[in-house]
């Protein structure tokens, strides 16, 4: 029997032309988009809590539909992206891929050396040296898990994140210092 392959893209507003990236590597039977609260504070602040709540409620409904479709092995393709989405992907993806540099991360004077940042880094790109986080790899996924999980908002990426809110999906279990 042919395997049933499904892909669910999570995004904070637009997945641009991510479908074309996946199609290079997989034969996809079912493809869906799940809009979640955007937490990319490198570029902008977190939305108002009421907006976040509405987004999560809509995502819960969408996720129910996706789960039912996948259980039934429904076939579904996402609409072909428009010209704007294709241009955005062509322009933004190389910047993301090549720009995930860790040299812009730093801990400000609020850092108490708790190690939560290192424990939550999926790339294991943070070492605790002398009680402070040090980024030991030149690049990471730039998921910002370290920044969002910091209990004191002491981790920054460049100058703008210090003034921006943090967000963690409410059901995520934080890892403590390892």
């Amino acid at each position: 029997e042919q395997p049933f392959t499904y892909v669910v893209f999570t995004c904070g507003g637009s997945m641009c032309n991510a479908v074309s990236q996946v199609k290079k590597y997989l034969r996809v039977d079912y493809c869906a988009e799940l809009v979640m609260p955007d937490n990319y504070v490198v570029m902008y602040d977190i939305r108002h809590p009421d907006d976040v709540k509405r987004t999560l409620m809509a995502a819960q409904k969408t996720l129910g539909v996706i789960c039912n479709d996948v259980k039934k092995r429904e076939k579904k393709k996402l609409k072909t992206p428009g010209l704007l989405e294709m241009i955005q992907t062509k322009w933004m993806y190389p910047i993301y891929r090549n720009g995930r540099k860790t040299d812009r991360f730093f801990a400000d004077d609020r850092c108490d050396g708790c190690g939560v940042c290192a424990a939550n880094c999926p790339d294991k790109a943070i070492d605790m040296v002398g009680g402070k986080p040090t980024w030991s790899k030149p690049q990471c996924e730039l998921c910002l898990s370290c920044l969002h999980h910091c209990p004191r908002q002491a981790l920054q990426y460049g100058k703008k994140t210090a003034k921006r809110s943090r967000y963690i999906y409410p059901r995520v279990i934080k890892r403590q210092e390892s």
Side-chain angles (χ1 to χ4, degrees):
E1 182 179 336
Q2 187 72 19
F4 180 78
T5 306
Y6 65 94
V7 176
V8 178
F9 291 98
T10 60
C11 62
S14 173
M15 55 181 222
C16 295
N17 191 19
V19 174
S20 68
Q21 299 292 321
V22 169
K23 284 182 178 179
K24 290 178 187 177
Y25 306 102
L26 291 174
R27 180 196 54 78
V28 178
D29 298 301
Y30 182 90
C31 197
E33 176 182 31
L34 184 64
V35 177
M36 297 293 287
D38 204 328
N39 65 354
Y40 198 64
V41 296
V42 168
M43 293 184 69
Y44 36 75
D45 203 354
I46 303 299
R47 298 184 77 115
H48 188 276
D50 292 342
D51 292 335
V52 169
K53 187 175 182 177
R54 279 191 292 276
T55 301
L56 288 172
M57 287 173 30
Q60 190 67 36
K61 288 179 185 176
T62 302
L63 191 55
V65 171
I66 291 169
C67 288
N68 286 333
D69 288 351
V70 169
K71 284 178 189 175
K72 295 178 193 173
R73 293 180 159 242
E74 297 281 341
K75 304 275 186 181
K76 178 184 173 193
K77 307 287 184 199
L78 279 177
K79 65 180 173 113
T80 304
L83 182 60
L84 178 61
E85 287 91 358
M86 291 191 295
I87 290 170
Q88 285 174 322
T89 300
K90 190 155 185 76
W91 181 70
M92 292 298 291
Y93 187 70
I95 291 171
Y96 167 75
R97 186 183 63 238
N98 298 320
R100 299 171 290 138
K101 307 221 181 315
T102 59
D103 62 354
R104 296 198 63 202
F105 279 109
F106 67 94
D108 66 24
D109 58 1
R110 293 176 286 183
C111 178
D112 68 357
C114 70
V116 169
C117 54
N120 284 280
C121 179
D123 282 335
K124 303 296 180 213
I126 303 171
D127 293 327
M128 297 303 292
V129 178
K132 297 290 178 187
T134 303
W135 283 261
S136 55
K137 294 181 180 180
Q139 281 192 316
C140 67
E141 291 302 315
L142 202 59
C143 68
L144 304 176
S145 181
C146 59
L147 185 143
H148 288 288
H149 280 92
C150 178
R152 291 182 180 57
Q153 292 191 7
L155 292 190
Q156 311 304 331
Y157 189 82
K159 295 177 183 177
K160 294 180 181 177
T161 59
K163 297 177 183 168
R164 294 184 176 153
S165 305
R166 305 300 197 253
Y167 175 79
I168 301 170
Y169 179 65
R171 293 185 182 172
V172 167
I173 298 170
K174 296 180 190 181
R175 291 184 216 128
Q176 299 305 314
E177 180 182 2
S178 51

